[in-house]
Each structure stands twice: as structure tokens, then as C-alpha cells.
Amino acid sequence: MLANTTEQMAEFFIPIKGASEALSYAHMMTGLQAEFEPSFDPSLRYLQESIQGTLVTEADGRYIMNLY
């Protein structure tokens, strides 16, 4: 079965059963790619000392994600 809308995608994947599923769902819904160990680019200006890579944690039955 093909999914054509975000609602159909949610029907297939929710409830999400783990951190890897949460990350996969975020990839599909946003089109973004995860960087787990971001590298320094000297052509960019950074506004903080360090940047944390992608991280998914579970809290109270929800998944909290830093998608970098």
C-alpha cells in the first residue's frame, strides 16, 4: 500500500515503538538527514561553543529528538 499524505504515513507508523523508529519517521516526514558527529566548517559562523549531533531519547512515553 502506498502513502500519499502525512496522515497516511502516521497511520502506518504510529505508535512509534523505539528510538530508531522515531528517527526514521522524522527522516520521512521532514526530508532531513541526521548528522551524529557534525564536523567544523570554517566557512560558517557558529553561535555556540559546541554542537551536539543527532540524539533521540525517550521520556514519559515520548521521543525527544535533537535532529542535526
Side-chain angles (χ1 to χ4, degrees), residues 6-66:
T6 56
E7 291 80 14
Q8 289 173 333
M9 291 296 290
E11 287 178 29
F12 289 131
F13 287 94
I14 295 176
I16 293 172
K17 300 174 190 79
S20 61
E21 279 190 24
L23 183 57
S24 295
Y25 188 73
H27 280 274
M28 288 186 297
M29 299 305 284
T30 65
L32 300 174
Q33 295 298 315
E35 287 286 335
F36 293 94
E37 295 180 24
S39 59
F40 176 74
D41 182 344
S43 67
L44 298 177
R45 176 180 286 177
Y46 296 91
L47 301 177
Q48 61 189 53
E49 289 293 318
S50 64
I51 298 173
Q52 182 181 16
T54 295
L55 176 68
V56 182
T57 56
E58 183 179 4
D60 299 322
R62 297 179 180 183
Y63 294 94
I64 300 168
M65 185 176 311
N66 178 39

